[in-house]
Amino acid sequence: MKKADIMTLVFVVLGFSMAIFIAGPILKLLFSSSLGTLRTALLEKSVYSSILMTAYSAAFATVIGLVFGVPLAYLLARKNFICKRIVEGLIDIPVVIPHSAAGIALLFVFGSRFLTGRFFKFLGVSFFNSIAGVIIAMLFVSIPFLLNAAREGFESVDVRLEKVARTLGASPWQTFFRISLPLAWRSILSGSIMMWARGASEFGAVLVLAYHVNFFGNYACVTPILVADRFNSFGLEYARPVTAIVILISLLCFILLRVLARHRKTK
């Protein structure tokens, strides 16, 4: 057998081993619960309240990320300014620090004993054990996914198109909303989905800031905390159906993201 063939064979064995390592636990868990068991779990008040609260909070955090993050991503893609490299580095920090530490850091800023927390409390917004706390925790840990995707989207837009629009009399606002944003929207959308999915899976930062919160009259916790609570209190069997539901939702988001990415490549 040739040396090149041996290398290919070794790579195939190692690669398939890694693929099985990733897919094995997910498939095992999904097929370990019947549809009836999943339906029964989904109809439990604590479960559907947790899923709805998690989806709502992650969506709210994503909207805030779009409003404040897209302008920053455009600046990073198009402008050179002092401390640009520092800002680019800051964006990725939430990805690398432990998220329980992120929760503590947020508590030192938005807690009611500190200046920002007092300001928002004066406005009637409290972040400790409230839905607002869940949202800022999700926003902090997941915003890098949206910022980086949006920046790459704007960087892929041909600058000459924007310059032509300006020479034809378009204002900077018109150029942004009619040229830059429409051409970068797929990247922004895929980044938004990634941000939503990452926010919905957050555990550590939310645990520190908002363990149980009042969600439209019902006290609920985010789904990752619900899964951990069930496992710690009642064991593997009780946590399994909820975990399977969470994985199914995550897989749907992943499939949607891959479809969008494929459309972007073929465009």
Side-chain angles (χ1 to χ4, degrees):
M1 186 176 291
K2 296 180 179 179
K3 290 183 179 180
D5 294 335
I6 294 175
M7 186 188 76
T8 302
L9 180 62
V10 171
F11 279 18
V12 167
V13 171
L14 294 176
F16 269 95
S17 299
M18 179 54 68
I20 292 171
F21 172 74
I22 295 171
I26 296 174
L27 295 176
K28 172 70 174 175
L29 181 64
L30 287 178
F31 290 106
S32 64
S33 298
S34 66
L35 289 177
T37 304
L38 295 179
R39 182 175 178 276
T40 302
L42 193 58
L43 291 178
E44 289 183 37
K45 186 177 180 180
S46 61
V47 175
Y48 69 72
S49 295
S50 174
I51 292 174
L52 288 176
M53 191 267 281
T54 304
Y56 170 84
S57 303
F60 206 115
T62 303
V63 170
I64 296 174
L66 284 168
V67 172
F68 291 92
V70 169
L72 176 58
Y74 182 77
L75 288 176
L76 292 172
R78 284 289 182 264
K79 307 293 182 183
N80 289 315
F81 52 88
I82 300 173
C83 301
K84 180 179 177 180
R85 297 299 178 194
I86 296 176
V87 174
E88 289 176 335
L90 283 174
I91 288 172
D92 292 326
I93 285 180
V95 176
V96 298
I97 63 174
H99 289 170
S100 55
I104 296 292
L106 287 170
L107 200 57
F108 266 92
V109 175
F110 293 99
S112 58
R113 294 167 50 194
F114 302 95
L115 183 60
T116 308
R118 287 177 182 174
F119 172 74
F120 278 99
K121 192 173 183 179
F122 174 76
L123 298 176
V125 180
S126 174
F127 294 96
F128 186 68
N129 278 341
S130 71
I131 197 74
V134 178
I135 291 171
I136 63 164
M138 290 181 173
L139 175 65
F140 184 83
V141 301
S142 61
I143 190 63
F145 295 94
L146 173 59
L147 287 173
N148 288 324
R151 181 181 59 188
E152 291 174 5
F154 286 125
E155 286 174 346
S156 67
V157 177
D158 194 338
V159 180
R160 290 174 296 182
L161 295 175
E162 297 175 346
K163 291 182 177 178
V164 169
R166 293 299 306 278
T167 58
L168 293 175
S171 68
W173 288 104
Q174 290 172 324
T175 303
F176 177 77
F177 283 108
R178 294 182 179 180
I179 304 295
S180 308
L181 193 59
L183 291 175
W185 77 270
R186 289 186 187 279
S187 297
I188 296 172
L189 181 59
S190 63
S192 300
I193 295 171
M194 282 296 294
M195 179 180 176
W196 181 88
R198 179 62 194 87
S201 64
E202 176 53 23
F203 178 84
V206 177
L207 182 70
V208 172
L209 270 171
Y211 189 86
H212 278 92
V213 302
N214 187 349
F215 181 64
F216 295 111
N218 297 318
Y219 275 90
C221 56
V222 295
T223 312
I225 293 179
L226 178 69
V227 171
D229 274 353
R230 290 196 167 204
F231 176 71
N232 290 327
S233 302
F234 305 105
L236 183 62
E237 291 299 317
Y238 198 63
R240 189 174 58 186
V242 182
T243 310
I245 292 171
V246 172
I247 289 178
L248 280 173
I249 295 173
S250 302
L251 286 177
L252 288 175
C253 293
F254 175 75
I255 292 170
L256 179 60
L257 182 67
R258 299 298 295 179
V259 170
L260 287 173
R262 178 170 294 182
H263 279 299
R264 186 172 59 181
K265 288 180 180 178
T266 56
K267 187 179 177 182

